[in-house]
Amino acid sequence: MDILKGKTALVTGASSGIGKAIAILFAREGANVIVTYHSGKERADAVVEEIKQYGIKTKAYQLNVGDEADVKKLFAEVDAEFGDLDILVNDAGINGSGIPVEDMSTEIWDSVMKTNLYGPFFCSREYLQYKKKYKTYKGSRIINVTSIHEYVNVPGDANYNASKSGMRNFAYTLALELASREMTVNNIAPGMILTPINEKVIEDPKKTGCCRSHHSIPSRR
């Protein structure tokens, strides 16, 4: 349908799972797509090759979203290569630790918060510098992929639960700040999806904090 023809989107965590699906769908609809990945260069390169079949511009960049300097460097490189951006998808994230609060170290708490909450903050802030530079707020989009756990909490995942509820309120605040400039901010909060990050723990109640199985999900996904 080419509903995104002429647009450019940056999708973090796009080497697999939900981010990969979003990147490919955007390309199918005509958008140029920047793919970022933390590890798994081969997977990211495979996504880029799949995207190229749609005849759009695409490139993969390694990025640690929880590293402020790395985010600034990435956005500078993307600006030089692609120019303005129309859509930012904050998808990169990691699972919780499965450790109760009384036993959780500061390092473990920070590792999840840095990726899941600081990451969207760093990326959104740099993206908004594009909007300021190019004066293109109107019609631009920020989309956060959060989780059902922004509402539903799981014991042993305080760092993950807090990061996702933090993303929700971060998005609400951004939406209020940007509404007058006709720019939208939305959260997508899916339930359990059989992505690679979840397949490792979905059948292990010791890691999830409760017994959950994809067999209990009607659509089996």
Side-chain angles (χ1 to χ4, degrees), residues 10 28 34 36 60 79 92 100 112-113 115 128-129 135 143-144 153-155 184 189 191 198 209:
L10 189 156
R28 190 183 303 156
I34 296 102
T36 82
D79 190 14
V112 173
M113 297 299 284
T115 298
L128 291 173
Q129 302 312 306
K135 297 180 172 60
I143 301 168
N144 294 329
N153 292 289
V154 176
T184 62
N198 284 328

Side-chain angles (χ1 to χ4, degrees), residues 172-188:
Y172 286 172
T173 304
L174 262 184
L176 291 170
E177 293 177 355
L178 297 170
S180 63
R181 283 170 272 185
E182 300 182 72
M183 180 175 172
T184 62
V185 182
N186 297 99
N187 272 6
I188 300 172

Side-chain angles (χ1 to χ4, degrees), residues 14-184:
S15 62
S16 65
I18 295 173
K20 174 183 175 181
I22 291 172
I24 292 170
L25 177 60
F26 281 5
R28 190 183 303 156
E29 293 295 344
N32 299 317
V33 181
I34 296 102
V35 170
T36 82
Y37 66 96
H38 181 264
S39 57
K41 183 180 185 300
E42 290 183 0
R43 293 196 307 269
D45 289 342
V47 174
V48 165
E49 288 304 310
E50 185 170 353
I51 286 173
K52 284 180 179 177
Q53 68 178 300
Y54 299 106
I56 52 84
K57 186 175 182 179
T58 183
K59 188 173 181 179
Y61 295 86
Q62 187 171 23
L63 173 67
N64 177 2
V65 296
D67 185 317
E68 183 176 8
D70 207 24
V71 172
K72 287 180 178 292
K73 177 176 177 289
L74 177 277
F75 274 84
E77 291 175 356
V78 169
D79 190 14
E81 180 78 18
F82 287 83
D84 193 17
L85 294 171
D86 302 284
I87 305 167
L88 169 66
V89 180
N90 288 310
D91 174 71
I94 59 176
N95 274 335
S97 56
I99 300 172
V101 171
E102 63 182 330
D103 299 321
M104 187 179 295
S105 68
T106 302
E107 290 74 21
I108 290 173
W109 172 271
D110 282 346
S111 67
V112 173
M113 297 299 284
K114 276 287 189 179
T115 298
N116 293 359
L117 187 56
Y118 277 69
F121 165 67
F122 291 149
C123 290
S124 296
R125 185 178 61 183
E126 292 306 309
Y127 175 59
L128 291 173
Q129 302 312 306
Y130 277 48
K131 301 298 95 184
K132 187 182 296 184
K133 174 181 176 179
Y134 291 102
K135 297 180 172 60
T136 52
Y137 290 94
K138 184 177 180 179
S140 294
R141 305 280 187 264
I142 295 175
I143 301 168
N144 294 329
V145 180
T146 62
S147 165
I148 191 174
H149 297 299
E150 67 180 42
Y151 300 105
V152 180
N153 292 289
V154 176
D157 278 348
N159 47 5
Y160 184 82
N161 300 332
S163 70
K164 293 303 182 179
S165 60
M167 282 183 72
R168 179 191 65 206
N169 288 315
F170 174 64
Y172 286 172
T173 304
L174 262 184
L176 291 170
E177 293 177 355
L178 297 170
S180 63
R181 283 170 272 185
E182 300 182 72
M183 180 175 172
T184 62

